[in-house]
Amino acid sequence: IPLIVKLSPAGKLLWEKDLRKKGFMDYEGASLAQAPDGGYLAYILSYVHPGRGATSRIVKLDTQGKILWDKNFGGDGRLNTPFAQDVRLLPQGNLSLKGHVYLKKGVMSAWSAEMDGHGKILSDQRGR
């Protein structure tokens, strides 16, 4: 279960948020970063089916754990499903994602994308 928790400095639970989403059967490898606005950005490997590859999903939460937006770069874990291997929070609050995508069976290509802090996809380059 992709679960985000926020604790006080004394270790008291302030809030928790379950990030399961309809359409996905399994999850792994969630990472979290604090955004420049104080909110949080979660990167979650999300599986439409556990026997396939993961999709690249980003969720933005506010300081109280409310989901502001939830985006993925498409695909069902098979062909044309981007997989981010490197996710970086840039100084201005944008996210840079780099990895790979299978455009044809057995043929892996580079993939890169950038999105702003509001979830708008600024670039999505496949097969370069």
Side-chain angles (χ1 to χ4, degrees), residues 2 24-31 42-48 53-58 82-85 87:
F24 294 107
M25 295 176 65
D26 203 4
Y27 309 89
E28 73 170 312
S31 300
Y43 168 63
I44 307 163
L45 296 176
S46 299
Y47 294 84
V48 173
T55 67
S56 296
R57 182 173 156 224
I58 307 289
F83 182 83
Q85 295 166 279
V87 180

Side-chain angles (χ1 to χ4, degrees), residues 5-16:
V5 297
K6 184 171 182 179
L7 304 174
S8 73
K12 180 183 176 195
L13 178 66
L14 298 175
W15 54 260
E16 66 180 56

